[in-house]
């Protein structure tokens, strides 16, 4: 079965510094997608970045980049120049399924706190 | 703002009652997914609809049911509510049936509290 593991329940980072949130996954499917979502204290789930299993380059979206190491089955999120507004829960997710459904499987999340 | 809307934002009800959660997907999206987020179970997939048809079921209880209407909005019905059903319920949408490049965009969620 497909699985997502986030081993860091909580992390601190100083404002303006970079931080890496870890995510490892397990799948036997050669075609899959990896996603990161941000959940601030208000509760909504905000899509940040996507990486496809066949993508040759690491995905980037503004201050977010995904360090994709396929052989190690890791998809770490890197946030550069942290801001106070980055304080939130971060979830790594993998798209499961072929054909009829592509449900997301989520990790347990990492709570990031940015210090001023 | 993802473009996915959910109502109500908050819901407080009693055990044994029935509630309906509503979701409107982003304009043009054909797929709707429902997820439950609870403290003990984390984020769990419940059910997926594509253009009015059920595509996949996850860990959805028999007391729960959903449908997607011709205008593509979806409703999640929760009946015989128990304390353990208290959770944040998300709806997400995507353009098609879940192709390899598709991102699911989440609504703001409905926070359900069963007393």
């Amino acid at each position: 079965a497909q699985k997502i593991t986030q081993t860091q329940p909580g992390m601190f980072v100083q404002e303006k510094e970079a931080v890496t949130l870890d995510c490892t996954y397990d799948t036997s499917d050669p075609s899959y997608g990896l996603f990161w979502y941000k959940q601030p204290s208000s509760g909504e789930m905000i899509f940040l970045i996507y990486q496809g299993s066949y993508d040759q380059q690491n995905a980037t979206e503004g201050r977010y980049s995904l360090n994709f190491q396929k052989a190690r089955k890791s998809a770490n999120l890197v946030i550069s120049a942290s801001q106070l507004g980055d304080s939130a829960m971060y979830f790594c997710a993998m798209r499961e399924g072929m054909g009829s459904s592509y449900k997301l499987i989520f990790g347990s999340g990492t709570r990031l706190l940015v210090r001023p | 703002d993802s473009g996915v809307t959910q109502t109500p934002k908050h819901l407080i009800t009693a055990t044994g009652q029935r509630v309906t959660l509503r979701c409107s997907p982003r304009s043009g999206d054909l797929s709707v997914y429902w997820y439950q987020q609870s403290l003990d179970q984390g984020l769990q997939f419940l059910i997926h609809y594509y253009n009015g048809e059920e595509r996949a079921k996850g860990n959805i209880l028999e007391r729960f049911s959903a449908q997607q209407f011709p205008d593509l909005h979806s409703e999640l019905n929760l009946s015989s509510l128990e304390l353990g059903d208290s959770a944040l319920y998300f709806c997400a949408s995507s353009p098609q049936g879940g192709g390899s490049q598709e991102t699911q965009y989440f609504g703001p969620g409905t926070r359900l509290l069963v007393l």
Side-chain angles (χ1 to χ4, degrees), chain A residues 83-95:
Chain A
Q83 302 173 356
L84 296 179
D86 294 334
S87 294
M89 281 289 287
Y90 289 82
F91 291 95
C92 180
M94 178 166 59
R95 186 192 61 240

Side-chain angles (χ1 to χ4, degrees), chain A residues 8-107:
Chain A
Q8 306 154 314
M11 288 193 70
F12 291 96
V13 65
Q14 206 65 33
E15 193 179 7
K16 299 181 184 177
E17 292 185 350
V19 62
T20 298
L21 306 184
D22 294 342
C23 172
T24 58
Y25 60 92
D26 187 22
T27 180
S28 57
D29 190 339
S31 177
Y32 52 90
L34 296 157
F35 301 81
W36 278 91
Y37 288 86
K38 172 184 178 181
Q39 187 176 37
S41 57
S42 52
E44 70 268 34
M45 293 286 287
I46 302 167
F47 166 70
L48 295 178
I49 196 166
Y50 162 80
Q51 180 85 42
S53 59
Y54 294 119
D55 293 344
Q56 296 296 314
Q57 293 187 324
N58 288 341
T60 59
E61 289 285 350
R63 295 186 298 111
Y64 304 108
S65 60
L66 203 152
N67 184 1
F68 181 46
Q69 298 189 41
K70 197 169 182 177
R72 294 185 178 184
K73 294 189 174 181
S74 74
N76 299 339
L77 177 70
V78 181
I79 305 175
S80 62
S82 296
Q83 302 173 356
L84 296 179
D86 294 334
S87 294
M89 281 289 287
Y90 289 82
F91 291 95
C92 180
M94 178 166 59
R95 186 192 61 240
E96 177 187 71
M98 293 182 68
S100 63
S101 178
Y102 286 83
K103 68 180 182 182
L104 289 171
I105 297 173
F106 286 85

Side-chain angles (χ1 to χ4, degrees), chain B residues 27-105:
Chain B
S27 177
D29 283 2
L30 299 178
S31 271
V32 169
Y33 308 77
W34 286 96
Y35 292 86
Q36 178 195 59
Q37 185 179 31
S38 61
L39 286 175
D40 54 344
Q41 298 287 333
L43 272 154
Q44 299 277 324
F45 167 73
L46 295 178
I47 199 163
H48 170 205
Y49 277 85
Y50 170 71
N51 203 21
E53 293 185 3
E54 181 185 304
R55 279 291 178 92
K57 271 187 175 180
N59 300 322
I60 187 167
L61 300 171
E62 286 191 8
R63 300 183 285 108
F64 295 1
S65 64
Q67 53 184 332
Q68 185 179 28
F69 295 87
D71 67 353
L72 301 177
H73 90 272
S74 178
E75 293 181 356
L76 179 67
N77 300 295
L78 315 177
S79 62
S80 303
L81 285 167
E82 301 175 0
L83 296 178
D85 297 328
S86 296
L88 186 53
Y89 291 85
F90 285 108
C91 164
S93 75
S94 69
Q96 297 296 325
S100 59
Q101 301 295 325
E102 286 198 357
T103 294
Q104 293 179 23
Y105 292 92

